[in-house]
Coordinates of all heavy atoms in Angstrom, one line a residue:
M697 N 139.5 82.2 82.8 CA 138.8 83.4 83.3 C 137.3 83.2 83.4 O 136.8 82.7 82.4 CB 139.2 84.6 82.4 CG 138.5 85.8 82.9 SD 138.8 87.3 81.9 CE 139.8 88.2 83.0
T698 N 136.7 83.4 84.5 CA 135.3 83.2 84.7 C 134.6 84.5 84.0 O 134.9 85.6 84.3 CB 135.0 83.2 86.2 OG1 135.8 82.2 86.7 CG2 133.5 82.9 86.4
Q699 N 133.5 84.1 83.3 CA 132.7 85.2 82.7 C 131.7 85.7 83.8 O 131.1 85.0 84.6 CB 131.8 84.6 81.6 CG 131.0 85.6 80.8 CD 130.3 85.1 79.7 OE1 130.4 83.9 79.4 NE2 129.5 85.8 79.0
L700 N 131.6 87.0 83.8 CA 130.7 87.7 84.8 C 129.3 87.3 84.5 O 128.9 87.3 83.3 CB 130.8 89.2 84.7 CG 132.2 89.8 85.2 CD1 132.2 91.2 85.0 CD2 132.4 89.4 86.7
Q701 N 128.5 87.0 85.5 CA 127.1 86.7 85.4 C 126.2 87.9 85.6 O 126.7 89.0 86.2 CB 126.7 85.6 86.3 CG 127.5 84.3 86.1 CD 127.1 83.2 87.1 OE1 126.2 83.3 87.8 NE2 127.9 82.2 87.0
G702 N 125.0 87.9 85.3 CA 124.1 88.9 85.5 C 123.8 89.8 84.3 O 123.7 89.2 83.2
Y703 N 123.6 91.0 84.4 CA 123.2 91.9 83.4 C 124.4 92.9 82.9 O 124.1 93.9 82.3 CB 122.1 92.8 83.8 CG 120.8 91.9 84.0 CD1 120.5 91.4 85.2 CD2 120.0 91.6 82.9 CE1 119.3 90.7 85.4 CE2 118.8 90.9 83.1 CZ 118.5 90.4 84.4 OH 117.4 89.7 84.5
I704 N 125.6 92.4 83.1 CA 126.8 93.2 82.7 C 126.7 93.4 81.1 O 126.5 92.5 80.4 CB 128.1 92.5 83.1 CG1 128.2 92.2 84.5 CG2 129.3 93.3 82.6 CD1 128.1 93.4 85.4
G705 N 126.8 94.7 80.7 CA 126.8 95.0 79.3 C 125.4 95.1 78.7 O 125.3 95.4 77.5
I706 N 124.3 94.8 79.4 CA 123.0 94.9 78.8 C 122.4 96.2 79.3 O 122.2 96.5 80.4 CB 122.1 93.7 79.3 CG1 122.8 92.4 78.9 CG2 120.7 93.8 78.8 CD1 122.1 91.2 79.4
Q707 N 122.1 97.0 78.2 CA 121.5 98.3 78.6 C 120.0 98.1 78.8 O 119.3 97.5 78.0 CB 121.6 99.3 77.4 CG 121.0 100.6 77.7 CD 121.3 101.6 76.7 OE1 122.3 101.6 76.1 NE2 120.5 102.6 76.5
P708 N 119.4 98.5 80.0 CA 118.1 98.3 80.2 C 117.2 99.2 79.3 O 117.5 100.3 79.0 CB 117.9 98.8 81.7 CG 119.1 99.4 82.1 CD 120.2 99.2 81.0
T709 N 116.1 98.5 78.8 CA 115.2 99.3 77.8 C 113.8 99.2 78.5 O 113.3 98.1 78.8 CB 115.2 98.6 76.5 OG1 116.5 98.6 76.0 CG2 114.3 99.3 75.5
I710 N 113.2 100.3 78.7 CA 111.9 100.4 79.4 C 110.8 99.8 78.4 O 110.7 100.0 77.2 CB 111.5 101.9 79.6 CG1 112.5 102.5 80.6 CG2 110.1 101.9 80.3 CD1 112.4 104.0 80.8
K711 N 110.0 98.9 79.1 CA 108.9 98.2 78.4 C 107.5 98.8 78.8 O 106.6 99.0 78.1 CB 109.0 96.7 78.7 CG 107.8 95.9 78.2 CD 108.0 94.5 78.6 CE 106.8 93.6 78.2 NZ 106.9 92.3 78.6
K712 N 107.4 99.0 80.2 CA 106.1 99.3 80.7 C 106.3 100.1 82.0 O 107.2 99.8 82.8 CB 105.3 98.0 80.9 CG 104.0 98.2 81.4 CD 103.3 96.8 81.6 CE 101.9 97.0 82.2 NZ 101.3 95.7 82.5
I713 N 105.3 101.0 82.3 CA 105.3 101.7 83.5 C 103.9 101.4 84.2 O 102.9 101.5 83.5 CB 105.5 103.2 83.3 CG1 106.8 103.5 82.7 CG2 105.3 104.0 84.6 CD1 107.1 104.8 82.2
G714 N 104.0 101.2 85.5 CA 102.8 101.0 86.3 C 102.8 101.6 87.6 O 103.8 102.1 88.1
F715 N 101.6 101.6 88.3 CA 101.5 102.2 89.6 C 100.7 101.3 90.5 O 99.8 100.6 90.0 CB 100.8 103.6 89.5 CG 101.6 104.6 88.6 CD1 101.5 104.6 87.3 CD2 102.6 105.3 89.3 CE1 102.2 105.5 86.5 CE2 103.4 106.2 88.5 CZ 103.2 106.2 87.1
T716 N 101.0 101.3 91.8 CA 100.3 100.5 92.8 C 99.4 101.5 93.6 O 99.7 102.7 93.7 CB 101.2 99.8 93.7 OG1 102.0 100.7 94.6 CG2 102.2 98.9 92.9
S717 N 98.5 100.9 94.3 CA 97.6 101.7 95.2 C 98.5 102.1 96.5 O 98.0 103.0 97.2 CB 96.4 100.9 95.6 OG 96.8 99.6 96.2
G718 N 99.5 101.5 96.7 CA 100.4 101.8 97.9 C 101.4 102.9 97.6 O 102.3 103.1 98.3
G719 N 101.2 103.7 96.6 CA 102.1 104.9 96.3 C 103.4 104.5 95.7 O 104.4 105.2 96.0
K720 N 103.5 103.5 94.9 CA 104.7 103.1 94.2 C 104.6 103.0 92.7 O 103.5 102.9 92.1 CB 105.1 101.7 94.7 CG 105.5 101.8 96.2 CD 106.1 100.4 96.7 CE 106.1 100.5 98.2 NZ 107.4 100.4 98.8
M721 N 105.7 103.3 92.1 CA 105.8 103.2 90.6 C 106.7 102.0 90.3 O 107.7 101.8 90.9 CB 106.4 104.4 90.0 CG 106.6 104.5 88.5 SD 107.2 106.1 87.8 CE 108.8 106.2 88.6
S722 N 106.2 101.2 89.2 CA 107.1 100.1 88.8 C 107.4 100.3 87.3 O 106.6 100.8 86.5 CB 106.3 98.8 88.9 OG 105.2 98.7 88.1
V723 N 108.7 100.1 87.0 CA 109.1 100.2 85.7 C 109.7 98.8 85.2 O 110.6 98.3 85.9 CB 110.3 101.3 85.5 CG1 110.7 101.4 84.1 CG2 109.7 102.6 86.0
E724 N 109.1 98.3 84.2 CA 109.5 96.9 83.6 C 110.4 97.2 82.5 O 110.2 98.1 81.7 CB 108.3 96.1 83.3 CG 107.4 95.7 84.5 CD 106.2 94.9 84.0 OE1 106.4 94.1 83.1 OE2 105.1 95.2 84.6
F725 N 111.4 96.3 82.4 CA 112.4 96.4 81.3 C 112.2 95.2 80.3 O 111.7 94.1 80.8 CB 113.8 96.4 81.8 CG 114.0 97.6 82.7 CD1 114.1 97.5 84.1 CD2 114.2 98.9 82.2 CE1 114.2 98.5 84.9 CE2 114.4 99.9 83.0 CZ 114.4 99.8 84.4
L726 N 112.6 95.3 79.1 CA 112.5 94.3 78.1 C 113.2 93.0 78.5 O 112.8 91.9 78.1 CB 113.0 94.8 76.8 CG 112.1 95.8 76.1 CD1 112.8 96.2 74.7 CD2 110.7 95.3 75.7
D727 N 114.3 93.1 79.3 CA 115.0 91.9 79.7 C 114.5 91.2 80.9 O 115.1 90.2 81.4 CB 116.5 92.3 79.9 CG 116.7 93.3 81.0 OD1 115.8 93.5 81.9 OD2 117.8 94.0 81.0
G728 N 113.3 91.6 81.4 CA 112.7 91.0 82.5 C 112.9 91.6 83.9 O 112.2 91.2 84.8
R729 N 113.7 92.5 84.0 CA 113.9 93.2 85.3 C 112.8 94.1 85.5 O 112.1 94.6 84.6 CB 115.2 94.0 85.3 CG 116.5 93.2 85.3 CD 117.7 94.0 85.4 NE 118.0 94.4 84.1 CZ 119.1 95.2 83.8 NH1 119.9 95.6 84.8 NH2 119.4 95.5 82.6
K730 N 112.6 94.5 86.8 CA 111.5 95.4 87.2 C 112.1 96.2 88.4 O 112.6 95.6 89.3 CB 110.3 94.6 87.6 CG 109.1 95.5 88.0 CD 108.0 94.5 88.2 CE 106.7 95.2 88.4 NZ 105.5 94.3 88.7
I731 N 111.9 97.5 88.4 CA 112.2 98.3 89.5 C 110.9 98.9 90.1 O 110.1 99.4 89.3 CB 113.2 99.5 89.0 CG1 114.5 98.9 88.6 CG2 113.3 100.5 90.2 CD1 115.5 100.0 88.2
V732 N 110.8 98.8 91.4 CA 109.7 99.4 92.1 C 110.2 100.5 93.0 O 111.2 100.2 93.8 CB 108.9 98.3 92.9 CG1 107.7 99.0 93.6 CG2 108.4 97.3 91.9
T733 N 109.7 101.7 92.9 CA 110.2 102.8 93.7 C 109.0 103.6 94.3 O 108.0 103.7 93.7 CB 111.1 103.7 92.8 OG1 111.7 104.7 93.7 CG2 110.3 104.4 91.7
P734 N 109.2 104.2 95.5 CA 108.2 105.0 96.1 C 108.0 106.3 95.2 O 108.9 106.9 94.8 CB 108.7 105.4 97.5 CG 109.8 104.4 97.7 CD 110.3 104.0 96.4
L735 N 106.7 106.7 95.0 CA 106.4 107.9 94.2 C 106.9 109.1 94.9 O 107.1 110.1 94.2 CB 104.9 108.0 94.0 CG 104.4 107.3 92.8 CD1 102.8 107.4 92.8 CD2 104.9 107.8 91.6
N736 N 107.1 109.1 96.2 CA 107.6 110.3 96.8 C 109.0 110.7 96.4 O 109.5 111.8 96.6 CB 107.6 110.3 98.4 CG 108.5 109.2 99.0 OD1 109.3 108.6 98.3 ND2 108.2 109.0 100.2
R737 N 109.7 109.8 95.7 CA 111.0 110.2 95.1 C 110.9 110.9 93.8 O 111.8 111.5 93.3 CB 111.8 108.9 94.8 CG 112.1 108.1 96.0 CD 112.9 108.8 97.1 NE 114.2 109.1 96.7 CZ 115.1 109.8 97.3 NH1 114.8 110.2 98.6 NH2 116.3 110.1 96.9
F738 N 109.6 111.0 93.2 CA 109.3 111.7 92.0 C 108.1 112.5 92.3 O 106.9 112.2 91.8 CB 109.0 110.7 90.9 CG 110.3 109.9 90.6 CD1 110.5 108.7 91.2 CD2 111.2 110.3 89.6 CE1 111.6 107.9 90.9 CE2 112.3 109.5 89.3 CZ 112.5 108.3 89.9
P739 N 108.2 113.7 93.0 CA 107.0 114.4 93.4 C 106.1 114.9 92.2 O 104.9 115.0 92.4 CB 107.6 115.7 94.1 CG 109.0 115.3 94.5 CD 109.4 114.2 93.5
S740 N 106.8 115.2 91.1 CA 106.0 115.7 89.9 C 105.1 114.6 89.4 O 104.0 114.9 88.9 CB 106.9 116.3 88.8 OG 107.8 115.4 88.5
I741 N 105.5 113.4 89.5 CA 104.6 112.2 89.1 C 103.6 111.9 90.1 O 102.4 111.7 89.9 CB 105.5 110.9 88.8 CG1 106.5 111.2 87.7 CG2 104.6 109.7 88.5 CD1 107.4 110.1 87.5
E742 N 104.0 112.1 91.4 CA 103.1 111.8 92.5 C 101.9 112.7 92.5 O 100.8 112.4 92.9 CB 103.9 112.0 93.8 CG 103.1 111.6 95.1 CD 103.9 111.7 96.3 OE1 104.8 112.5 96.4 OE2 103.7 110.9 97.2
K743 N 102.1 114.0 92.0 CA 101.0 115.0 91.9 C 100.0 114.7 90.9 O 98.9 115.1 90.9 CB 101.6 116.4 91.7 CG 102.3 117.0 92.8 CD 102.6 118.5 92.6 CE 104.0 118.6 91.9 NZ 104.4 120.0 91.8
L744 N 100.3 113.9 89.9 CA 99.4 113.5 88.8 C 98.3 112.6 89.3 O 98.5 111.8 90.2 CB 100.2 112.7 87.7 CG 101.3 113.5 86.9 CD1 102.0 112.6 86.0 CD2 100.7 114.7 86.2
S745 N 97.2 112.8 88.7 CA 96.0 111.9 89.1 C 96.3 110.5 88.5 O 97.2 110.3 87.7 CB 94.7 112.4 88.5 OG 94.7 112.3 87.1
A746 N 95.5 109.5 89.0 CA 95.6 108.1 88.5 C 95.4 108.1 87.0 O 96.1 107.4 86.3 CB 94.7 107.2 89.2
Q747 N 94.4 108.9 86.5 CA 94.2 109.0 85.1 C 95.3 109.5 84.3 O 95.7 109.0 83.3 CB 92.8 109.7 84.9 CG 92.3 109.6 83.5 CD 91.9 108.2 83.1 OE1 91.5 107.5 83.9 NE2 92.1 107.8 81.9
Q748 N 95.9 110.6 84.8 CA 97.1 111.3 84.1 C 98.2 110.3 84.1 O 99.0 110.3 83.2 CB 97.4 112.6 84.9 CG 96.4 113.6 84.7 CD 96.7 114.9 85.6 OE1 97.0 114.7 86.7 NE2 96.7 116.0 85.0
R749 N 98.4 109.5 85.1 CA 99.6 108.6 85.2 C 99.4 107.5 84.1 O 100.4 106.9 83.7 CB 99.7 107.9 86.5 CG 100.1 108.9 87.6 CD 100.3 108.2 88.9 NE 100.3 109.1 90.0 CZ 100.0 108.9 91.3 NH1 99.5 107.7 91.6 NH2 100.1 109.8 92.2
K750 N 98.2 107.2 83.6 CA 98.0 106.2 82.6 C 98.5 106.7 81.3 O 98.7 105.9 80.3 CB 96.5 105.8 82.5 CG 96.1 105.1 83.7 CD 94.6 104.7 83.6 CE 94.1 104.0 84.8 NZ 92.7 103.7 84.7
A751 N 98.7 108.0 81.1 CA 99.1 108.6 79.8 C 100.6 108.8 79.8 O 101.1 109.9 79.6 CB 98.4 109.9 79.6
W752 N 101.3 107.7 79.9 CA 102.8 107.8 79.9 C 103.3 107.4 78.5 O 102.6 106.8 77.7 CB 103.5 106.8 80.9 CG 102.9 105.4 80.9 CD1 101.9 104.9 81.7 CD2 103.4 104.3 80.1 NE1 101.7 103.6 81.4 CE2 102.6 103.2 80.5 CE3 104.4 104.2 79.1 CZ2 102.8 101.9 79.9 CZ3 104.6 102.9 78.6 CH2 103.8 101.8 79.0
Q753 N 104.5 107.8 78.2 CA 105.2 107.5 76.9 C 106.6 107.2 77.2 O 107.3 107.8 78.0 CB 105.0 108.6 76.0 CG 105.6 109.9 76.4 CD 105.2 111.1 75.5 OE1 104.4 110.9 74.6 NE2 105.7 112.3 75.8
I754 N 107.1 106.2 76.4 CA 108.5 105.8 76.5 C 109.3 106.5 75.4 O 108.8 106.6 74.2 CB 108.7 104.3 76.4 CG1 108.0 103.6 77.6 CG2 110.2 103.9 76.3 CD1 107.9 102.1 77.5
I755 N 110.4 107.1 75.7 CA 111.2 107.9 74.7 C 112.6 107.2 74.5 O 113.3 107.1 75.5 CB 111.4 109.3 75.1 CG1 110.1 110.0 75.4 CG2 112.2 110.1 74.1 CD1 110.2 111.3 76.3
D756 N 112.9 106.7 73.4 CA 114.1 106.0 73.0 C 114.5 104.8 73.9 O 115.6 104.4 74.1 CB 115.3 107.0 73.0 CG 115.1 108.1 72.0 OD1 114.5 107.8 71.0 OD2 115.7 109.2 72.2
G757 N 113.5 104.3 74.6 CA 113.7 103.1 75.5 C 114.4 103.4 76.7 O 114.4 102.5 77.6
I758 N 114.9 104.6 77.0 CA 115.7 104.9 78.2 C 115.1 106.1 78.9 O 115.6 106.5 80.0 CB 117.1 105.2 77.9 CG1 117.3 106.2 76.9 CG2 117.8 103.8 77.4 CD1 118.8 106.7 76.7
M759 N 114.0 106.8 78.4 CA 113.4 107.9 79.1 C 111.9 107.7 79.0 O 111.4 106.9 78.2 CB 113.8 109.2 78.4 CG 115.3 109.5 78.5 SD 115.7 111.0 77.5 CE 115.7 110.4 75.9
F760 N 111.2 108.4 79.9 CA 109.8 108.3 79.9 C 109.2 109.7 80.4 O 109.8 110.5 81.1 CB 109.2 107.2 80.7 CG 109.5 107.3 82.2 CD1 108.6 107.8 83.1 CD2 110.7 106.7 82.6 CE1 108.9 107.8 84.5 CE2 111.0 106.8 84.0 CZ 110.1 107.3 84.9
S761 N 107.9 109.9 80.0 CA 107.2 111.2 80.3 C 105.8 110.9 80.4 O 105.3 109.8 80.1 CB 107.6 112.3 79.3 OG 107.1 113.5 79.8
F762 N 105.0 111.9 80.7 CA 103.6 111.9 80.8 C 103.0 113.0 80.1 O 103.6 114.1 80.1 CB 103.1 111.9 82.3 CG 103.7 110.7 83.1 CD1 104.9 110.8 83.7 CD2 103.0 109.6 83.3 CE1 105.5 109.8 84.4 CE2 103.5 108.5 84.0 CZ 104.7 108.6 84.5
V763 N 101.9 112.9 79.5 CA 101.2 113.9 78.7 C 101.0 115.2 79.5 O 101.3 116.3 79.0 CB 99.9 113.4 78.1 CG1 99.1 114.5 77.4 CG2 100.1 112.3 77.1
D764 N 100.6 115.0 80.7 CA 100.3 116.2 81.6 C 101.4 116.6 82.5 O 101.2 117.3 83.5 CB 99.1 116.0 82.4 CG 97.8 115.9 81.5 OD1 97.7 116.6 80.5 OD2 96.9 115.0 81.9
C765 N 102.7 116.3 82.1 CA 103.8 116.6 82.9 C 105.0 117.1 82.0 O 105.3 116.5 81.0 CB 104.3 115.4 83.7 SG 105.7 115.7 84.8
D766 N 105.6 118.2 82.3 CA 106.6 118.7 81.5 C 108.0 118.0 81.7 O 108.9 118.2 80.9 CB 106.8 120.2 81.8 CG 105.6 121.0 81.4 OD1 104.9 120.6 80.5 OD2 105.4 122.1 82.0
E767 N 108.1 117.2 82.7 CA 109.4 116.5 83.0 C 109.6 115.4 82.1 O 108.7 114.7 81.7 CB 109.4 116.0 84.4 CG 109.2 117.1 85.5 CD 110.5 117.9 85.7 OE1 111.6 117.4 85.5 OE2 110.3 119.1 86.1
V768 N 110.9 115.1 81.8 CA 111.3 113.9 81.1 C 112.2 113.2 82.0 O 113.2 113.8 82.5 CB 112.0 114.2 79.7 CG1 112.5 112.9 79.1 CG2 111.0 114.8 78.8
Y769 N 112.0 111.9 82.3 CA 112.7 111.2 83.3 C 113.6 110.2 82.5 O 113.2 109.5 81.6 CB 111.8 110.4 84.3 CG 110.8 111.3 84.9 CD1 109.6 111.6 84.4 CD2 111.2 111.9 86.1 CE1 108.7 112.4 85.0 CE2 110.3 112.8 86.7 CZ 109.0 113.1 86.2 OH 108.2 114.0 86.7
H770 N 114.9 110.0 83.0 CA 115.9 109.1 82.5 C 116.0 107.9 83.4 O 115.9 108.0 84.6 CB 117.2 109.9 82.3 CG 118.2 109.1 81.5 ND1 118.9 108.1 82.0 CD2 118.5 109.3 80.2 CE1 119.7 107.6 81.0 NE2 119.4 108.4 79.9
I771 N 116.3 106.8 82.7 CA 116.4 105.5 83.5 C 117.5 105.7 84.6 O 117.4 105.1 85.6 CB 116.8 104.4 82.5 CG1 116.6 103.1 83.1 CG2 118.2 104.6 82.0 CD1 116.6 102.0 82.1
S772 N 118.5 106.6 84.4 CA 119.5 106.7 85.5 C 118.9 107.3 86.7 O 119.4 107.0 87.8 CB 120.6 107.7 84.9 OG 120.1 108.9 84.6
Q773 N 117.8 108.0 86.6 CA 117.1 108.5 87.9 C 116.5 107.3 88.6 O 116.4 107.4 89.9 CB 116.0 109.5 87.5 CG 116.6 110.8 86.9 CD 115.5 111.7 86.3 OE1 115.3 111.6 85.2 NE2 114.9 112.5 87.2
L774 N 116.1 106.3 88.0 CA 115.6 105.1 88.7 C 116.7 104.3 89.3 O 116.5 103.6 90.3 CB 114.8 104.2 87.7 CG 113.6 104.8 87.1 CD1 113.1 104.0 85.9 CD2 112.5 104.9 88.1
L775 N 117.8 104.3 88.7 CA 119.0 103.4 89.1 C 119.9 104.1 90.1 O 120.8 103.6 90.6 CB 119.8 103.0 87.9 CG 119.0 102.2 86.8 CD1 119.9 102.0 85.5 CD2 118.6 100.9 87.4
G776 N 119.6 105.4 90.3 CA 120.4 106.2 91.3 C 121.8 106.5 90.8 O 122.7 106.7 91.6
K777 N 121.9 106.8 89.5 CA 123.2 107.1 88.9 C 123.1 108.6 88.5 O 122.1 109.0 88.0 CB 123.5 106.2 87.7 CG 123.8 104.9 88.1 CD 124.2 104.0 86.9 CE 124.6 102.7 87.3 NZ 125.5 102.1 86.3
D778 N 124.2 109.3 88.6 CA 124.3 110.7 88.0 C 124.3 110.7 86.6 O 123.8 111.6 85.9 CB 125.6 111.4 88.5 CG 125.5 111.7 90.1 OD1 124.4 111.7 90.6 OD2 126.6 111.7 90.7
E779 N 124.9 109.7 86.0 CA 124.9 109.7 84.5 C 124.9 108.2 84.1 O 125.5 107.3 84.6 CB 126.3 110.3 84.0 CG 126.4 110.4 82.5 CD 127.7 111.0 82.1 OE1 128.1 112.0 82.7 OE2 128.3 110.5 81.2
F780 N 124.0 107.9 83.0 CA 123.9 106.5 82.6 C 125.1 106.1 81.8 O 125.6 106.8 80.9 CB 122.6 106.3 81.8 CG 122.3 104.9 81.5 CD1 121.9 104.1 82.4 CD2 122.6 104.4 80.2 CE1 121.6 102.7 82.1 CE2 122.4 103.1 79.9 CZ 121.9 102.2 80.9
E781 N 125.7 105.0 82.1 CA 126.8 104.4 81.3 C 126.3 103.5 80.2 O 125.5 102.7 80.4 CB 127.7 103.6 82.3 CG 128.2 104.4 83.5 CD 128.9 103.5 84.5 OE1 129.0 102.3 84.2 OE2 129.2 104.0 85.6
K782 N 126.8 103.7 79.0 CA 126.4 102.9 77.9 C 127.3 101.7 77.8 O 128.4 101.7 78.1 CB 126.4 103.7 76.6 CG 125.3 104.7 76.5 CD 125.2 105.3 75.2 CE 123.9 106.2 75.2 NZ 123.7 106.7 73.9

């Protein structure tokens, strides 16, 4: 039996969040992956100033938030899943 390749069974853990001048947010994971997404998919983050976006925090490795934002975002929202599978 052939072993599946890739990231099967590896839960992504957020390492860093960044922003581009082109209106995109990047989320880097400890395992080397990186997701880049348009900010218009996250209007509450898009409304934050560049300075406010620098004040992010990672929660339990799978969620993130910003000091000046009441929302808490889950990694599943970046991956396009209704519910994150462990």
Side-chain angles (χ1 to χ4, degrees):
M697 177 182 252
T698 304
Q699 184 177 1
L700 293 175
Q701 297 179 10
Y703 292 94
I704 304 298
I706 298 174
Q707 180 171 332
T709 302
I710 300 170
K711 173 183 177 183
K712 181 179 175 186
I713 298 168
F715 297 91
T716 69
S717 58
K720 296 188 188 239
M721 175 174 65
S722 65
V723 179
E724 294 180 37
F725 301 102
L726 290 176
D727 61 20
R729 289 182 278 181
K730 182 178 191 178
I731 292 179
V732 179
T733 185
L735 272 176
N736 64 12
R737 301 301 295 180
F738 297 89
S740 54
I741 299 173
E742 187 176 33
K743 288 190 273 187
L744 297 173
S745 70
Q747 191 64 31
Q748 289 172 313
R749 290 181 195 153
K750 290 179 182 178
W752 50 266
Q753 57 191 5
I754 297 169
I755 305 163
D756 296 333
I758 58 171
M759 296 176 284
F760 62 96
S761 188
F762 299 84
V763 172
D764 293 324
C765 182
D766 292 334
E767 301 285 331
V768 175
Y769 304 92
H770 192 277
I771 199 169
S772 62
Q773 292 170 266
L774 297 167
L775 300 173
K777 295 184 170 203
D778 290 336
E779 186 178 317
F780 188 75
E781 301 168 7
K782 288 189 174 185

